[in-house]
PDB file of all heavy atoms in Angstrom:
ATOM      1  N   ASP Q  75     -76.391 -19.692 -75.759  1.00 85.00           N
ATOM      2  CA  ASP Q  75     -75.262 -18.823 -75.449  1.00 85.00           C
ATOM      3  C   ASP Q  75     -74.410 -18.588 -76.695  1.00 85.00           C
ATOM      4  O   ASP Q  75     -74.025 -19.530 -77.385  1.00 85.00           O
ATOM      5  CB  ASP Q  75     -74.411 -19.477 -74.356  1.00 85.00           C
ATOM      6  CG  ASP Q  75     -73.300 -18.566 -73.882  1.00 85.00           C
ATOM      7  OD1 ASP Q  75     -73.430 -17.345 -74.078  1.00 85.00           O
ATOM      8  OD2 ASP Q  75     -72.304 -19.079 -73.335  1.00 85.00           O
ATOM      9  N   GLY Q  76     -74.117 -17.343 -76.980  1.00 78.00           N
ATOM     10  CA  GLY Q  76     -73.317 -16.991 -78.144  1.00 78.00           C
ATOM     11  C   GLY Q  76     -74.079 -16.258 -79.216  1.00 78.00           C
ATOM     12  O   GLY Q  76     -73.466 -15.756 -80.181  1.00 78.00           O
ATOM     13  N   LEU Q  77     -75.410 -16.170 -79.112  1.00 88.00           N
ATOM     14  CA  LEU Q  77     -76.196 -15.461 -80.115  1.00 88.00           C
ATOM     15  C   LEU Q  77     -75.953 -13.954 -79.994  1.00 88.00           C
ATOM     16  O   LEU Q  77     -76.187 -13.355 -78.945  1.00 88.00           O
ATOM     17  CB  LEU Q  77     -77.682 -15.773 -79.939  1.00 88.00           C
ATOM     18  CG  LEU Q  77     -78.645 -15.062 -80.891  1.00 88.00           C
ATOM     19  CD1 LEU Q  77     -78.279 -15.337 -82.336  1.00 88.00           C
ATOM     20  CD2 LEU Q  77     -80.073 -15.465 -80.602  1.00 88.00           C
ATOM     21  N   LYS Q  78     -75.481 -13.365 -81.071  1.00 88.00           N
ATOM     22  CA  LYS Q  78     -75.129 -11.946 -81.051  1.00 88.00           C
ATOM     23  C   LYS Q  78     -75.330 -11.357 -82.438  1.00 88.00           C
ATOM     24  O   LYS Q  78     -75.120 -12.040 -83.447  1.00 88.00           O
ATOM     25  CB  LYS Q  78     -73.677 -11.751 -80.597  1.00 88.00           C
ATOM     26  CG  LYS Q  78     -73.285 -10.302 -80.391  1.00 88.00           C
ATOM     27  CD  LYS Q  78     -71.853 -10.193 -79.898  1.00 88.00           C
ATOM     28  CE  LYS Q  78     -71.463  -8.729 -79.700  1.00 88.00           C
ATOM     29  NZ  LYS Q  78     -70.053  -8.599 -79.231  1.00 88.00           N
ATOM     30  N   LEU Q  79     -75.714 -10.103 -82.485  1.00 90.00           N
ATOM     31  CA  LEU Q  79     -75.949  -9.402 -83.744  1.00 90.00           C
ATOM     32  C   LEU Q  79     -74.826  -8.405 -83.999  1.00 90.00           C
ATOM     33  O   LEU Q  79     -74.418  -7.661 -83.105  1.00 90.00           O
ATOM     34  CB  LEU Q  79     -77.294  -8.671 -83.707  1.00 90.00           C
ATOM     35  CG  LEU Q  79     -77.575  -7.722 -84.882  1.00 90.00           C
ATOM     36  CD1 LEU Q  79     -77.635  -8.499 -86.188  1.00 90.00           C
ATOM     37  CD2 LEU Q  79     -78.849  -6.946 -84.640  1.00 90.00           C
ATOM     38  N   THR Q  80     -74.339  -8.411 -85.243  1.00 87.00           N
ATOM     39  CA  THR Q  80     -73.345  -7.442 -85.690  1.00 87.00           C
ATOM     40  C   THR Q  80     -73.874  -6.748 -86.936  1.00 87.00           C
ATOM     41  O   THR Q  80     -74.319  -7.414 -87.878  1.00 87.00           O
ATOM     42  CB  THR Q  80     -72.000  -8.117 -86.005  1.00 87.00           C
ATOM     43  OG1 THR Q  80     -71.551  -8.823 -84.843  1.00 87.00           O
ATOM     44  CG2 THR Q  80     -70.962  -7.089 -86.407  1.00 87.00           C
ATOM     45  N   VAL Q  81     -73.835  -5.430 -86.935  1.00 88.00           N
ATOM     46  CA  VAL Q  81     -74.287  -4.635 -88.076  1.00 88.00           C
ATOM     47  C   VAL Q  81     -73.055  -4.213 -88.867  1.00 88.00           C
ATOM     48  O   VAL Q  81     -72.128  -3.608 -88.320  1.00 88.00           O
ATOM     49  CB  VAL Q  81     -75.090  -3.404 -87.617  1.00 88.00           C
ATOM     50  CG1 VAL Q  81     -75.614  -2.629 -88.811  1.00 88.00           C
ATOM     51  CG2 VAL Q  81     -76.240  -3.828 -86.715  1.00 88.00           C
ATOM     52  N   ALA Q  82     -73.031  -4.554 -90.148  1.00 85.00           N
ATOM     53  CA  ALA Q  82     -71.894  -4.246 -91.015  1.00 85.00           C
ATOM     54  C   ALA Q  82     -72.379  -3.523 -92.252  1.00 85.00           C
ATOM     55  O   ALA Q  82     -73.562  -3.559 -92.605  1.00 85.00           O
ATOM     56  CB  ALA Q  82     -71.146  -5.525 -91.401  1.00 85.00           C
ATOM     57  N   ALA Q  83     -71.444  -2.863 -92.922  1.00 85.00           N
ATOM     58  CA  ALA Q  83     -71.775  -2.155 -94.153  1.00 85.00           C
ATOM     59  C   ALA Q  83     -72.049  -3.154 -95.268  1.00 85.00           C
ATOM     60  O   ALA Q  83     -71.357  -4.164 -95.404  1.00 85.00           O
ATOM     61  CB  ALA Q  83     -70.635  -1.220 -94.545  1.00 85.00           C
ATOM     62  N   LYS Q  84     -73.057  -2.871 -96.080  1.00 83.00           N
ATOM     63  CA  LYS Q  84     -73.412  -3.751 -97.176  1.00 83.00           C
ATOM     64  C   LYS Q  84     -72.401  -3.604 -98.310  1.00 83.00           C
ATOM     65  O   LYS Q  84     -72.055  -2.489 -98.707  1.00 83.00           O
ATOM     66  CB  LYS Q  84     -74.819  -3.428 -97.659  1.00 83.00           C
ATOM     67  CG  LYS Q  84     -75.348  -4.392 -98.716  1.00 83.00           C
ATOM     68  CD  LYS Q  84     -76.751  -4.008 -99.142  1.00 83.00           C
ATOM     69  CE  LYS Q  84     -77.731  -4.138 -97.995  1.00 83.00           C
ATOM     70  NZ  LYS Q  84     -79.133  -3.886 -98.450  1.00 83.00           N
ATOM     71  N   ARG Q  85     -71.938  -4.726 -98.817  1.00 73.00           N
ATOM     72  CA  ARG Q  85     -70.908  -4.675 -99.856  1.00 73.00           C
ATOM     73  C   ARG Q  85     -71.458  -4.139-101.170  1.00 73.00           C
ATOM     74  O   ARG Q  85     -70.765  -3.432-101.904  1.00 73.00           O
ATOM     75  CB  ARG Q  85     -70.342  -6.082-100.086  1.00 73.00           C
ATOM     76  CG  ARG Q  85     -69.743  -6.723 -98.848  1.00 73.00           C
ATOM     77  CD  ARG Q  85     -69.257  -8.124 -99.184  1.00 73.00           C
ATOM     78  NE  ARG Q  85     -68.819  -8.831 -97.994  1.00 73.00           N
ATOM     79  CZ  ARG Q  85     -68.441 -10.110 -97.983  1.00 73.00           C
ATOM     80  NH1 ARG Q  85     -68.469 -10.796 -99.109  1.00 73.00           N
ATOM     81  NH2 ARG Q  85     -68.042 -10.682 -96.869  1.00 73.00           N
ATOM     82  N   THR Q  86     -72.689  -4.487-101.493  1.00 67.00           N
ATOM     83  CA  THR Q  86     -73.264  -4.108-102.786  1.00 67.00           C
ATOM     84  C   THR Q  86     -73.814  -2.693-102.799  1.00 67.00           C
ATOM     85  O   THR Q  86     -74.331  -2.238-103.821  1.00 67.00           O
ATOM     86  CB  THR Q  86     -74.392  -5.076-103.146  1.00 67.00           C
ATOM     87  OG1 THR Q  86     -75.391  -5.059-102.108  1.00 67.00           O
ATOM     88  CG2 THR Q  86     -73.858  -6.488-103.300  1.00 67.00           C
ATOM     89  N   SER Q  87     -73.726  -1.992-101.672  1.00 58.00           N
ATOM     90  CA  SER Q  87     -74.274  -0.637-101.608  1.00 58.00           C
ATOM     91  C   SER Q  87     -73.360   0.327-102.362  1.00 58.00           C
ATOM     92  O   SER Q  87     -72.132   0.263-102.263  1.00 58.00           O
ATOM     93  CB  SER Q  87     -74.424  -0.202-100.151  1.00 58.00           C
ATOM     94  OG  SER Q  87     -74.915   1.121-100.077  1.00 58.00           O
ATOM     95  N   ASP Q  88     -73.957   1.237-103.123  1.00 61.00           N
ATOM     96  CA  ASP Q  88     -73.172   2.225-103.867  1.00 61.00           C
ATOM     97  C   ASP Q  88     -72.558   3.249-102.930  1.00 61.00           C
ATOM     98  O   ASP Q  88     -71.434   3.713-103.148  1.00 61.00           O
ATOM     99  CB  ASP Q  88     -74.062   2.917-104.903  1.00 61.00           C
ATOM    100  CG  ASP Q  88     -74.591   1.933-105.938  1.00 61.00           C
ATOM    101  OD1 ASP Q  88     -73.917   0.910-106.157  1.00 61.00           O
ATOM    102  OD2 ASP Q  88     -75.682   2.187-106.501  1.00 61.00           O
ATOM    103  N   GLU Q  89     -73.285   3.615-101.888  1.00 66.00           N
ATOM    104  CA  GLU Q  89     -72.793   4.605-100.935  1.00 66.00           C
ATOM    105  C   GLU Q  89     -72.301   3.892 -99.681  1.00 66.00           C
ATOM    106  O   GLU Q  89     -73.006   3.054 -99.112  1.00 66.00           O
ATOM    107  CB  GLU Q  89     -73.904   5.591-100.575  1.00 66.00           C
ATOM    108  CG  GLU Q  89     -74.441   6.379-101.777  1.00 66.00           C
ATOM    109  CD  GLU Q  89     -75.547   7.328-101.364  1.00 66.00           C
ATOM    110  OE1 GLU Q  89     -75.871   7.347-100.147  1.00 66.00           O
ATOM    111  OE2 GLU Q  89     -76.085   8.031-102.236  1.00 66.00           O
ATOM    112  N   GLN Q  90     -71.092   4.212 -99.263  1.00 72.00           N
ATOM    113  CA  GLN Q  90     -70.510   3.619 -98.077  1.00 72.00           C
ATOM    114  C   GLN Q  90     -71.011   4.362 -96.843  1.00 72.00           C
ATOM    115  O   GLN Q  90     -70.957   5.593 -96.776  1.00 72.00           O
ATOM    116  CB  GLN Q  90     -68.973   3.676 -98.139  1.00 72.00           C
ATOM    117  CG  GLN Q  90     -68.381   2.804 -99.223  1.00 72.00           C
ATOM    118  CD  GLN Q  90     -68.656   1.332 -98.967  1.00 72.00           C
ATOM    119  OE1 GLN Q  90     -68.742   0.896 -97.823  1.00 72.00           O
ATOM    120  NE2 GLN Q  90     -68.801   0.575-100.054  1.00 72.00           N
ATOM    121  N   ILE Q  91     -71.490   3.589 -95.898  1.00 77.00           N
ATOM    122  CA  ILE Q  91     -72.013   4.179 -94.670  1.00 77.00           C
ATOM    123  C   ILE Q  91     -70.870   4.553 -93.742  1.00 77.00           C
ATOM    124  O   ILE Q  91     -69.801   3.906 -93.731  1.00 77.00           O
ATOM    125  CB  ILE Q  91     -72.969   3.189 -93.977  1.00 77.00           C
ATOM    126  CG1 ILE Q  91     -73.661   3.868 -92.795  1.00 77.00           C
ATOM    127  CG2 ILE Q  91     -72.235   1.943 -93.539  1.00 77.00           C
ATOM    128  CD1 ILE Q  91     -74.723   2.984 -92.141  1.00 77.00           C
ATOM    129  N   GLU Q  92     -71.051   5.593 -92.982  1.00 79.00           N
ATOM    130  CA  GLU Q  92     -70.030   6.011 -92.027  1.00 79.00           C
ATOM    131  C   GLU Q  92     -69.971   5.030 -90.866  1.00 79.00           C
ATOM    132  O   GLU Q  92     -70.980   4.434 -90.471  1.00 79.00           O
ATOM    133  CB  GLU Q  92     -70.329   7.424 -91.523  1.00 79.00           C
ATOM    134  CG  GLU Q  92     -70.355   8.477 -92.622  1.00 79.00           C
ATOM    135  CD  GLU Q  92     -70.669   9.843 -92.062  1.00 79.00           C
ATOM    136  OE1 GLU Q  92     -70.700   9.989 -90.817  1.00 79.00           O
ATOM    137  OE2 GLU Q  92     -70.886  10.774 -92.855  1.00 79.00           O
ATOM    138  N   ASP Q  93     -68.781   4.873 -90.307  1.00 81.00           N
ATOM    139  CA  ASP Q  93     -68.596   3.922 -89.210  1.00 81.00           C
ATOM    140  C   ASP Q  93     -69.398   4.309 -87.978  1.00 81.00           C
ATOM    141  O   ASP Q  93     -69.833   3.447 -87.207  1.00 81.00           O
ATOM    142  CB  ASP Q  93     -67.107   3.821 -88.847  1.00 81.00           C
ATOM    143  CG  ASP Q  93     -66.292   3.191 -89.964  1.00 81.00           C
ATOM    144  OD1 ASP Q  93     -66.900   2.512 -90.817  1.00 81.00           O
ATOM    145  OD2 ASP Q  93     -65.062   3.396 -89.981  1.00 81.00           O
ATOM    146  N   ARG Q  94     -69.622   5.601 -87.789  1.00 87.00           N
ATOM    147  CA  ARG Q  94     -70.345   6.020 -86.583  1.00 87.00           C
ATOM    148  C   ARG Q  94     -71.793   5.541 -86.607  1.00 87.00           C
ATOM    149  O   ARG Q  94     -72.378   5.254 -85.558  1.00 87.00           O
ATOM    150  CB  ARG Q  94     -70.289   7.535 -86.417  1.00 87.00           C
ATOM    151  CG  ARG Q  94     -71.011   8.315 -87.514  1.00 87.00           C
ATOM    152  CD  ARG Q  94     -70.823   9.809 -87.345  1.00 87.00           C
ATOM    153  NE  ARG Q  94     -71.593  10.570 -88.329  1.00 87.00           N
ATOM    154  CZ  ARG Q  94     -72.820  11.026 -88.105  1.00 87.00           C
ATOM    155  NH1 ARG Q  94     -73.425  10.765 -86.961  1.00 87.00           N
ATOM    156  NH2 ARG Q  94     -73.449  11.721 -89.031  1.00 87.00           N
ATOM    157  N   TRP Q  95     -72.377   5.410 -87.823  1.00 90.00           N
ATOM    158  CA  TRP Q  95     -73.752   4.936 -87.883  1.00 90.00           C
ATOM    159  C   TRP Q  95     -73.843   3.451 -87.524  1.00 90.00           C
ATOM    160  O   TRP Q  95     -74.850   2.998 -86.977  1.00 90.00           O
ATOM    161  CB  TRP Q  95     -74.339   5.180 -89.267  1.00 90.00           C
ATOM    162  CG  TRP Q  95     -74.619   6.624 -89.563  1.00 90.00           C
ATOM    163  CD1 TRP Q  95     -74.085   7.385 -90.558  1.00 90.00           C
ATOM    164  CD2 TRP Q  95     -75.492   7.499 -88.830  1.00 90.00           C
ATOM    165  NE1 TRP Q  95     -74.571   8.673 -90.505  1.00 90.00           N
ATOM    166  CE2 TRP Q  95     -75.443   8.760 -89.451  1.00 90.00           C
ATOM    167  CE3 TRP Q  95     -76.307   7.328 -87.712  1.00 90.00           C
ATOM    168  CZ2 TRP Q  95     -76.183   9.848 -88.991  1.00 90.00           C
ATOM    169  CZ3 TRP Q  95     -77.054   8.416 -87.255  1.00 90.00           C
ATOM    170  CH2 TRP Q  95     -76.981   9.646 -87.888  1.00 90.00           C
ATOM    171  N   LEU Q  96     -72.811   2.698 -87.851  1.00 88.00           N
ATOM    172  CA  LEU Q  96     -72.798   1.295 -87.440  1.00 88.00           C
ATOM    173  C   LEU Q  96     -72.796   1.183 -85.924  1.00 88.00           C
ATOM    174  O   LEU Q  96     -73.492   0.333 -85.339  1.00 88.00           O
ATOM    175  CB  LEU Q  96     -71.580   0.587 -88.031  1.00 88.00           C
ATOM    176  CG  LEU Q  96     -71.490   0.547 -89.560  1.00 88.00           C
ATOM    177  CD1 LEU Q  96     -70.207  -0.150 -89.992  1.00 88.00           C
ATOM    178  CD2 LEU Q  96     -72.704  -0.153 -90.151  1.00 88.00           C
ATOM    179  N   THR Q  97     -72.034   2.031 -85.278  1.00 89.00           N
ATOM    180  CA  THR Q  97     -72.010   2.033 -83.812  1.00 89.00           C
ATOM    181  C   THR Q  97     -73.349   2.469 -83.242  1.00 89.00           C
ATOM    182  O   THR Q  97     -73.842   1.902 -82.256  1.00 89.00           O
ATOM    183  CB  THR Q  97     -70.897   2.961 -83.310  1.00 89.00           C
ATOM    184  OG1 THR Q  97     -69.645   2.570 -83.888  1.00 89.00           O
ATOM    185  CG2 THR Q  97     -70.785   2.896 -81.795  1.00 89.00           C
ATOM    186  N   VAL Q  98     -73.971   3.466 -83.883  1.00 92.00           N
ATOM    187  CA  VAL Q  98     -75.269   3.953 -83.402  1.00 92.00           C
ATOM    188  C   VAL Q  98     -76.330   2.863 -83.527  1.00 92.00           C
ATOM    189  O   VAL Q  98     -77.142   2.643 -82.611  1.00 92.00           O
ATOM    190  CB  VAL Q  98     -75.680   5.218 -84.182  1.00 92.00           C
ATOM    191  CG1 VAL Q  98     -77.127   5.587 -83.871  1.00 92.00           C
ATOM    192  CG2 VAL Q  98     -74.756   6.366 -83.836  1.00 92.00           C
ATOM    193  N   LEU Q  99     -76.338   2.140 -84.641  1.00 93.00           N
ATOM    194  CA  LEU Q  99     -77.322   1.074 -84.823  1.00 93.00           C
ATOM    195  C   LEU Q  99     -77.146  -0.025 -83.788  1.00 93.00           C
ATOM    196  O   LEU Q  99     -78.130  -0.550 -83.242  1.00 93.00           O
ATOM    197  CB  LEU Q  99     -77.192   0.494 -86.233  1.00 93.00           C
ATOM    198  CG  LEU Q  99     -77.611   1.409 -87.388  1.00 93.00           C
ATOM    199  CD1 LEU Q  99     -77.322   0.741 -88.719  1.00 93.00           C
ATOM    200  CD2 LEU Q  99     -79.074   1.786 -87.291  1.00 93.00           C
ATOM    201  N   ALA Q 100     -75.903  -0.397 -83.498  1.00 91.00           N
ATOM    202  CA  ALA Q 100     -75.660  -1.421 -82.479  1.00 91.00           C
ATOM    203  C   ALA Q 100     -76.107  -0.949 -81.101  1.00 91.00           C
ATOM    204  O   ALA Q 100     -76.697  -1.714 -80.321  1.00 91.00           O
ATOM    205  CB  ALA Q 100     -74.177  -1.796 -82.461  1.00 91.00           C
ATOM    206  N   GLU Q 101     -75.865   0.320 -80.791  1.00 93.00           N
ATOM    207  CA  GLU Q 101     -76.273   0.850 -79.490  1.00 93.00           C
ATOM    208  C   GLU Q 101     -77.798   0.931 -79.373  1.00 93.00           C
ATOM    209  O   GLU Q 101     -78.361   0.651 -78.300  1.00 93.00           O
ATOM    210  CB  GLU Q 101     -75.655   2.237 -79.278  1.00 93.00           C
ATOM    211  CG  GLU Q 101     -74.130   2.211 -79.116  1.00 93.00           C
ATOM    212  CD  GLU Q 101     -73.554   3.602 -78.989  1.00 93.00           C
ATOM    213  OE1 GLU Q 101     -74.328   4.581 -79.192  1.00 93.00           O
ATOM    214  OE2 GLU Q 101     -72.353   3.723 -78.701  1.00 93.00           O
ATOM    215  N   LEU Q 102     -78.475   1.304 -80.446  1.00 94.00           N
ATOM    216  CA  LEU Q 102     -79.945   1.361 -80.412  1.00 94.00           C
ATOM    217  C   LEU Q 102     -80.548  -0.014 -80.178  1.00 94.00           C
ATOM    218  O   LEU Q 102     -81.519  -0.160 -79.413  1.00 94.00           O
ATOM    219  CB  LEU Q 102     -80.473   1.951 -81.715  1.00 94.00           C
ATOM    220  CG  LEU Q 102     -80.177   3.436 -81.968  1.00 94.00           C
ATOM    221  CD1 LEU Q 102     -80.692   3.849 -83.338  1.00 94.00           C
ATOM    222  CD2 LEU Q 102     -80.777   4.309 -80.878  1.00 94.00           C
ATOM    223  N   TRP Q 103     -80.003  -1.033 -80.812  1.00 95.00           N
ATOM    224  CA  TRP Q 103     -80.520  -2.396 -80.610  1.00 95.00           C
ATOM    225  C   TRP Q 103     -80.287  -2.866 -79.179  1.00 95.00           C
ATOM    226  O   TRP Q 103     -81.146  -3.515 -78.582  1.00 95.00           O
ATOM    227  CB  TRP Q 103     -79.871  -3.342 -81.612  1.00 95.00           C
ATOM    228  CG  TRP Q 103     -80.323  -4.760 -81.506  1.00 95.00           C
ATOM    229  CD1 TRP Q 103     -79.589  -5.821 -81.085  1.00 95.00           C
ATOM    230  CD2 TRP Q 103     -81.631  -5.274 -81.809  1.00 95.00           C
ATOM    231  NE1 TRP Q 103     -80.341  -6.977 -81.111  1.00 95.00           N
ATOM    232  CE2 TRP Q 103     -81.586  -6.668 -81.555  1.00 95.00           C
ATOM    233  CE3 TRP Q 103     -82.812  -4.703 -82.260  1.00 95.00           C
ATOM    234  CZ2 TRP Q 103     -82.712  -7.486 -81.747  1.00 95.00           C
ATOM    235  CZ3 TRP Q 103     -83.918  -5.518 -82.450  1.00 95.00           C
ATOM    236  CH2 TRP Q 103     -83.861  -6.882 -82.196  1.00 95.00           C
ATOM    237  N   GLU Q 104     -79.136  -2.550 -78.629  1.00 94.00           N
ATOM    238  CA  GLU Q 104     -78.861  -2.922 -77.237  1.00 94.00           C
ATOM    239  C   GLU Q 104     -79.792  -2.180 -76.283  1.00 94.00           C
ATOM    240  O   GLU Q 104     -80.218  -2.743 -75.267  1.00 94.00           O
ATOM    241  CB  GLU Q 104     -77.396  -2.633 -76.891  1.00 94.00           C
ATOM    242  CG  GLU Q 104     -76.400  -3.553 -77.583  1.00 94.00           C
ATOM    243  CD  GLU Q 104     -76.600  -5.005 -77.191  1.00 94.00           C
ATOM    244  OE1 GLU Q 104     -77.011  -5.268 -76.037  1.00 94.00           O
ATOM    245  OE2 GLU Q 104     -76.357  -5.886 -78.039  1.00 94.00           O
ATOM    246  N   GLU Q 105     -80.106  -0.928 -76.578  1.00 94.00           N
ATOM    247  CA  GLU Q 105     -81.059  -0.194 -75.738  1.00 94.00           C
ATOM    248  C   GLU Q 105     -82.432  -0.851 -75.773  1.00 94.00           C
ATOM    249  O   GLU Q 105     -83.111  -0.960 -74.745  1.00 94.00           O
ATOM    250  CB  GLU Q 105     -81.148   1.260 -76.212  1.00 94.00           C
ATOM    251  CG  GLU Q 105     -79.898   2.087 -75.942  1.00 94.00           C
ATOM    252  CD  GLU Q 105     -80.052   3.503 -76.467  1.00 94.00           C
ATOM    253  OE1 GLU Q 105     -81.171   3.838 -76.935  1.00 94.00           O
ATOM    254  OE2 GLU Q 105     -79.067   4.254 -76.421  1.00 94.00           O
ATOM    255  N   PHE Q 106     -82.851  -1.286 -76.953  1.00 95.00           N
ATOM    256  CA  PHE Q 106     -84.146  -1.965 -77.070  1.00 95.00           C
ATOM    257  C   PHE Q 106     -84.152  -3.266 -76.260  1.00 95.00           C
ATOM    258  O   PHE Q 106     -85.114  -3.557 -75.533  1.00 95.00           O
ATOM    259  CB  PHE Q 106     -84.435  -2.247 -78.540  1.00 95.00           C
ATOM    260  CG  PHE Q 106     -85.580  -3.200 -78.766  1.00 95.00           C
ATOM    261  CD1 PHE Q 106     -86.889  -2.783 -78.617  1.00 95.00           C
ATOM    262  CD2 PHE Q 106     -85.336  -4.521 -79.106  1.00 95.00           C
ATOM    263  CE1 PHE Q 106     -87.945  -3.657 -78.816  1.00 95.00           C
ATOM    264  CE2 PHE Q 106     -86.389  -5.403 -79.309  1.00 95.00           C
ATOM    265  CZ  PHE Q 106     -87.688  -4.973 -79.164  1.00 95.00           C
ATOM    266  N   LEU Q 107     -83.104  -4.063 -76.369  1.00 94.00           N
ATOM    267  CA  LEU Q 107     -83.041  -5.323 -75.610  1.00 94.00           C
ATOM    268  C   LEU Q 107     -82.980  -5.072 -74.112  1.00 94.00           C
ATOM    269  O   LEU Q 107     -83.578  -5.819 -73.324  1.00 94.00           O
ATOM    270  CB  LEU Q 107     -81.825  -6.132 -76.058  1.00 94.00           C
ATOM    271  CG  LEU Q 107     -81.834  -6.644 -77.502  1.00 94.00           C
ATOM    272  CD1 LEU Q 107     -80.546  -7.402 -77.793  1.00 94.00           C
ATOM    273  CD2 LEU Q 107     -83.046  -7.529 -77.759  1.00 94.00           C
ATOM    274  N   THR Q 108     -82.282  -4.041 -73.703  1.00 94.00           N
ATOM    275  CA  THR Q 108     -82.151  -3.748 -72.269  1.00 94.00           C
ATOM    276  C   THR Q 108     -83.481  -3.313 -71.673  1.00 94.00           C
ATOM    277  O   THR Q 108     -83.877  -3.759 -70.589  1.00 94.00           O
ATOM    278  CB  THR Q 108     -81.096  -2.660 -72.040  1.00 94.00           C
ATOM    279  OG1 THR Q 108     -79.845  -3.094 -72.580  1.00 94.00           O
ATOM    280  CG2 THR Q 108     -80.930  -2.375 -70.552  1.00 94.00           C
ATOM    281  N   LYS Q 109     -84.218  -2.449 -72.381  1.00 93.00           N
ATOM    282  CA  LYS Q 109     -85.494  -1.975 -71.851  1.00 93.00           C
ATOM    283  C   LYS Q 109     -86.516  -3.102 -71.770  1.00 93.00           C
ATOM    284  O   LYS Q 109     -87.303  -3.174 -70.820  1.00 93.00           O
ATOM    285  CB  LYS Q 109     -86.027  -0.847 -72.722  1.00 93.00           C
ATOM    286  CG  LYS Q 109     -87.381  -0.326 -72.242  1.00 93.00           C
ATOM    287  CD  LYS Q 109     -87.912   0.781 -73.129  1.00 93.00           C
ATOM    288  CE  LYS Q 109     -89.287   1.252 -72.657  1.00 93.00           C
ATOM    289  NZ  LYS Q 109     -89.835   2.323 -73.505  1.00 93.00           N
ATOM    290  N   ASN Q 110     -86.513  -3.988 -72.744  1.00 94.00           N
ATOM    291  CA  ASN Q 110     -87.498  -5.069 -72.798  1.00 94.00           C
ATOM    292  C   ASN Q 110     -86.930  -6.400 -72.323  1.00 94.00           C
ATOM    293  O   ASN Q 110     -87.415  -7.461 -72.730  1.00 94.00           O
ATOM    294  CB  ASN Q 110     -88.023  -5.224 -74.229  1.00 94.00           C
ATOM    295  CG  ASN Q 110     -88.763  -3.998 -74.712  1.00 94.00           C
ATOM    296  OD1 ASN Q 110     -89.933  -3.803 -74.427  1.00 94.00           O
ATOM    297  ND2 ASN Q 110     -88.060  -3.159 -75.462  1.00 94.00           N
ATOM    298  N   ALA Q 111     -85.912  -6.338 -71.471  1.00 93.00           N
ATOM    299  CA  ALA Q 111     -85.268  -7.584 -71.020  1.00 93.00           C
ATOM    300  C   ALA Q 111     -86.232  -8.481 -70.261  1.00 93.00           C
ATOM    301  O   ALA Q 111     -86.141  -9.714 -70.344  1.00 93.00           O
ATOM    302  CB  ALA Q 111     -84.053  -7.257 -70.148  1.00 93.00           C
ATOM    303  N   SER Q 112     -87.166  -7.903 -69.531  1.00 92.00           N
ATOM    304  CA  SER Q 112     -88.122  -8.706 -68.761  1.00 92.00           C
ATOM    305  C   SER Q 112     -89.342  -9.114 -69.567  1.00 92.00           C
ATOM    306  O   SER Q 112     -90.190  -9.851 -69.058  1.00 92.00           O
ATOM    307  CB  SER Q 112     -88.576  -7.926 -67.519  1.00 92.00           C
ATOM    308  OG  SER Q 112     -89.164  -6.689 -67.890  1.00 92.00           O
ATOM    309  N   HIS Q 113     -89.450  -8.649 -70.806  1.00 91.00           N
ATOM    310  CA  HIS Q 113     -90.611  -8.958 -71.641  1.00 91.00           C
ATOM    311  C   HIS Q 113     -90.239  -9.665 -72.933  1.00 91.00           C
ATOM    312  O   HIS Q 113     -91.124 -10.252 -73.570  1.00 91.00           O
ATOM    313  CB  HIS Q 113     -91.381  -7.680 -71.989  1.00 91.00           C
ATOM    314  CG  HIS Q 113     -91.676  -6.805 -70.813  1.00 91.00           C
ATOM    315  ND1 HIS Q 113     -92.546  -7.178 -69.818  1.00 91.00           N
ATOM    316  CD2 HIS Q 113     -91.202  -5.577 -70.475  1.00 91.00           C
ATOM    317  CE1 HIS Q 113     -92.607  -6.211 -68.921  1.00 91.00           C
ATOM    318  NE2 HIS Q 113     -91.805  -5.244 -69.286  1.00 91.00           N
ATOM    319  N   PHE Q 114     -88.985  -9.626 -73.333  1.00 94.00           N
ATOM    320  CA  PHE Q 114     -88.576 -10.223 -74.600  1.00 94.00           C
ATOM    321  C   PHE Q 114     -87.182 -10.810 -74.471  1.00 94.00           C
ATOM    322  O   PHE Q 114     -86.305 -10.243 -73.808  1.00 94.00           O
ATOM    323  CB  PHE Q 114     -88.580  -9.175 -75.721  1.00 94.00           C
ATOM    324  CG  PHE Q 114     -87.941  -9.666 -76.991  1.00 94.00           C
ATOM    325  CD1 PHE Q 114     -88.657 -10.453 -77.879  1.00 94.00           C
ATOM    326  CD2 PHE Q 114     -86.619  -9.361 -77.284  1.00 94.00           C
ATOM    327  CE1 PHE Q 114     -88.061 -10.913 -79.045  1.00 94.00           C
ATOM    328  CE2 PHE Q 114     -86.030  -9.810 -78.447  1.00 94.00           C
ATOM    329  CZ  PHE Q 114     -86.747 -10.596 -79.333  1.00 94.00           C
ATOM    330  N   SER Q 115     -86.989 -11.947 -75.081  1.00 94.00           N
ATOM    331  CA  SER Q 115     -85.669 -12.572 -75.183  1.00 94.00           C
ATOM    332  C   SER Q 115     -85.668 -13.470 -76.408  1.00 94.00           C
ATOM    333  O   SER Q 115     -86.724 -13.933 -76.872  1.00 94.00           O
ATOM    334  CB  SER Q 115     -85.320 -13.373 -73.923  1.00 94.00           C
ATOM    335  OG  SER Q 115     -86.195 -14.477 -73.772  1.00 94.00           O
TER     336      SER Q 115
END
């Protein structure tokens, strides 16, 4: 209990990523876990 993934902008990256892409990446990962909840954990 407590295992969770957070996607953050890389500090060493020359180009700063937009905040909306961080939200999109988190939502895509949650969609993957939700669809495969009965097959993967």
Side-chain angles (χ1 to χ4, degrees):
D75 186 21
L77 178 56
K78 187 178 180 181
L79 171 63
T80 303
V81 183
K84 186 180 296 185
R85 302 178 187 175
T86 58
S87 178
D88 297 334
E89 299 179 0
Q90 293 296 328
I91 188 175
E92 300 179 9
D93 293 340
R94 65 184 184 93
W95 288 119
L96 299 178
T97 305
V98 170
L99 291 175
E101 292 177 351
L102 292 177
W103 180 249
E104 290 298 328
E105 290 179 5
F106 167 76
L107 295 179
T108 302
K109 179 181 178 180
N110 297 278
S112 58
H113 311 292
F114 170 81
S115 65

